[in-house]
Amino acid sequence: MQKFSAWSLLKKSFGGHKGWQSQWRRATPKPEYDAIIVGGGGHGLGAAYYLAAEHGLTNIAVLEKGWIGGGNTGRNTTIIRSNYLFDESARLYDHSLKMWNDLAQVLNYNVMFSPRGVMMLAHTVHDVQVIKRHVHANRCNGVDNAWLTPAQAKEFCPPLNIDDNIRYPVMGAALQRSGGTARHDAVAWGYARAADALGVDIIENCEVTGIRRDANGAVEALETSRGLIKSRKVGVSAAGNTSVVLGLAGVRLPLESFPLQALVSEPIKPVFPCVVMSNSIHAYVSQSDKGELVIGAGTDAYTSYTQRGALHINAHTLEAICELFPMFRRMRMLRNWGGIVDVTPDRSPIIAKTPVQGLYVNCGWGTGGFKATPGSAHVFAWTIAKDEPHPINAPFTIERFRDGTLIDEAAAAAVAH
Ligand code: FAD
Ligand code: PYC
């Protein structure tokens, strides 16, 4: 009788991740496309998918300098929520949250969306006031969020320590029940496979190194590590590196790039029912379906393009986790990594046309763009296809930093900056 390993059976049933990857890697760029997306993260692949699926543009390519999902999409802690303060953000993030609900069906790929609830802790009187303000603003915008007492917070998340005598006692929490997590790399692969099926070329190991403009200043071609590729529409979704790529066309953006780190523990049986975040003490945690605790830290204090950060940031985060969840004190950590996030002055993204005709940008998601992937990709595709913003992303312009129409979401970013 023929024997199969679990891996060979998996490959037989699904084609195997390696199989799909090598198929994309073989794709040779055509000399010209109707549109090109720079950056094969969730936002770029998603935009390519919606360009093809909703706007009928199928002669398009995604150019990725490494491998798809190898940037922040495959490095984040997968928290999904829409409890932002301002109306503009509520519309954008809630558009996305709604799309998560049936994304697996739309893409025919299990992105493992799990709306298990996201709880944000308050540890000081200031936290209580700020978080309650968010709860009220969210409810006015139809975004679900509720204030919990410490006892109610513990009832929702039994491992939580609500002892009054700890250094940062829990004074209450906001709970968005419709928030949760999804499988990060599955989002990149799901969009890539669905886009590929519609004819999109996904070209890995292809770095954009130059942007050529015609006599009128409009985009006409990209210089890449795999040769010159012509296109009159180029959308850039190159988180962490956006200012470098846009700089190739002479466009300056108000962005700074910082390392942001995360780590996972050894896997254990299911013990942690939801997502808990604490902005004040720089720690957030959930448990993945593999059983690992997924723990995230604050950003490093210094700008950098390296995908790793300083060790003491993690030590601080782990101290906070041990204080909030004493039962995790003896657990061992398995892996630590970092990503580079690009941060705008108002901690809100830019999804917009640029001053260069045919050049569009989707960036500035800082520490929080994973949750926005479907909604952001959807409105970015609209912006590229129609050469005008979708009503949802119309406020997220570059010009707001000149005009002062900021959307200041520093408090909702939920991660220490
Ligand atoms: P990416 O996935 O980074 O994709 C951009 C791609 O562009 C990369 O693959 C890169 O290689 C490519 N690229 C760059 N330059 C070039 C070039 N010149 N040519 C070709 N390709 C290029 N968000 C949340 O909502 N919830 C969270 O819990 C969360 N946790 C996080 C934890 C960590 C540790 C980190 C680092 C981030 C976290 N985020 C979180 C933020 C989130 O990961 C990002 O905002 C989001 O994934 C950005 O997606 P993207 O597709 O824009 O970027
Ligand atoms: O935006 O929810 C978020 C987040 C959590 C961790 C990093 N970003």
Side-chain angles (χ1 to χ4, degrees):
M1 195 179 79
Q2 200 179 355
K3 284 197 179 145
F4 294 107
S5 68
W7 175 238
S8 73
L9 279 176
L10 197 73
K11 283 211 286 195
K12 270 184 189 304
S13 357
F14 300 111
H17 166 49
K18 272 228 156 78
W20 296 328
Q21 271 216 332
S22 53
Q23 177 192 331
W24 293 325
R25 252 189 231 124
R26 275 200 301 275
T28 310
K30 293 183 202 160
E32 185 161 3
Y33 289 97
D34 294 335
I36 291 178
I37 302 289
V38 181
H43 289 239
L45 292 161
Y49 168 74
Y50 294 114
L51 276 171
E54 297 199 354
H55 301 282
L57 278 171
T58 51
N59 179 33
I60 59 180
V62 178
L63 309 184
E64 166 53 51
K65 75 173 174 182
W67 63 96
I68 61 163
N72 290 340
T73 298
R75 292 167 184 268
N76 71 81
T77 46
T78 79
I79 298 172
I80 294 170
R81 59 189 174 85
S82 63
N83 51 358
Y84 285 72
L85 185 63
F86 291 101
D87 299 352
E88 296 88 339
S89 321
R91 279 195 289 274
L92 175 60
Y93 289 98
D94 222 36
H95 177 53
S96 200
L97 186 55
K98 291 198 173 88
M99 292 180 74
W100 279 108
N101 283 309
D102 64 353
L103 192 61
Q105 286 75 20
V106 170
L107 301 180
N108 189 24
Y109 198 103
N110 189 0
V111 297
M112 297 166 78
F113 176 54
S114 163
R116 57 184 69 178
V118 174
M119 200 160 77
M120 296 173 106
L121 303 179
H123 302 280
T124 62
V125 172
H126 174 76
D127 278 356
V128 171
Q129 288 168 345
V130 169
I131 293 181
K132 280 189 172 171
R133 184 175 174 216
H134 279 73
V135 170
H136 296 314
N138 289 163
R139 293 170 80 129
C140 290
N141 273 320
V143 173
D144 98 90
N145 207 356
W147 175 255
L148 305 184
T149 62
Q152 288 168 326
K154 186 163 178 69
E155 196 184 339
F156 191 71
C157 182
L160 180 66
N161 181 5
I162 55 166
D163 192 330
D164 279 345
N165 294 320
I166 60 177
R167 189 161 44 145
Y168 298 103
V170 175
M171 296 176 69
L175 173 62
Q176 182 172 23
R177 287 178 192 273
S178 57
T181 57
R183 172 78 207 174
H184 49 9
D185 41 14
V187 175
W189 299 338
Y191 272 124
R193 194 179 65 161
D196 176 61
L198 294 171
V200 175
D201 282 354
I202 296 165
I203 301 163
E204 296 180 300
N205 300 315
C206 182
E207 179 171 3
V208 173
T209 53
I211 298 179
R212 287 204 191 163
R213 297 166 62 179
D214 67 14
N216 298 318
V219 169
E220 61 174 1
L222 295 179
E223 292 163 18
T224 81
S225 55
R226 298 182 64 177
L228 192 75
I229 310 175
K230 288 187 189 163
S231 184
R232 295 220 152 249
K233 277 181 187 277
V234 172
V236 178
S237 254
N241 293 284
T242 321
S243 48
V244 177
V245 179
L246 271 270
L248 301 172
V251 176
R252 292 197 65 210
L253 291 176
L255 288 174
E256 284 185 302
S257 296
F258 290 94
L260 179 68
Q261 298 182 75
L263 52 162
V264 289
S265 72
E266 57 189 333
I268 51 172
K269 290 201 169 150
V271 290
F272 203 76
C274 59
V275 180
V276 176
M277 311 186 65
S278 168
N279 198 10
S280 294
I281 54 175
H282 309 174
Y284 42 98
V285 58
S286 64
Q287 186 171 17
S288 75
D289 292 321
K290 282 196 286 184
E292 298 165 341
L293 296 180
V294 181
I295 295 172
T299 52
D300 275 41
Y302 304 101
T303 52
S304 166
Y305 289 115
T306 59
Q307 288 174 312
R308 61 172 181 266
L311 213 54
H312 73 272
I313 305 271
N314 296 317
H316 174 83
T317 293
L318 289 174
E319 276 170 24
I321 293 287
C322 290
E323 189 175 68
L324 287 173
F325 307 102
M327 72 184 220
F328 294 149
R329 275 193 183 140
R330 298 187 57 193
M331 287 191 62
R332 280 167 296 199
M333 294 298 129
L334 272 193
R335 295 190 300 283
N336 164 231
W337 65 91
I340 298 300
V341 299
D342 44 14
V343 176
T344 60
D346 66 357
R347 305 295 190 263
S348 291
I350 299 169
I351 316 175
K353 295 171 66 165
T354 72
V356 173
Q357 179 63 40
L359 185 63
Y360 309 85
V361 68
N362 174 355
C363 67
W365 292 97
T367 58
F370 177 69
K371 65 178 80 60
T373 306
S376 148
H378 183 242
V379 298
F380 191 41
W382 169 297
T383 307
I384 296 169
K386 298 189 187 290
D387 195 35
E388 65 182 34
H390 185 284
I392 290 180
N393 67 299
F396 294 89
T397 60
I398 304 176
E399 290 74 24
R400 74 180 189 271
F401 301 102
R402 180 196 62 203
D403 303 338
T405 45
L406 302 181
I407 308 164
D408 188 352
E409 290 289 356
V415 173
H417 289 84

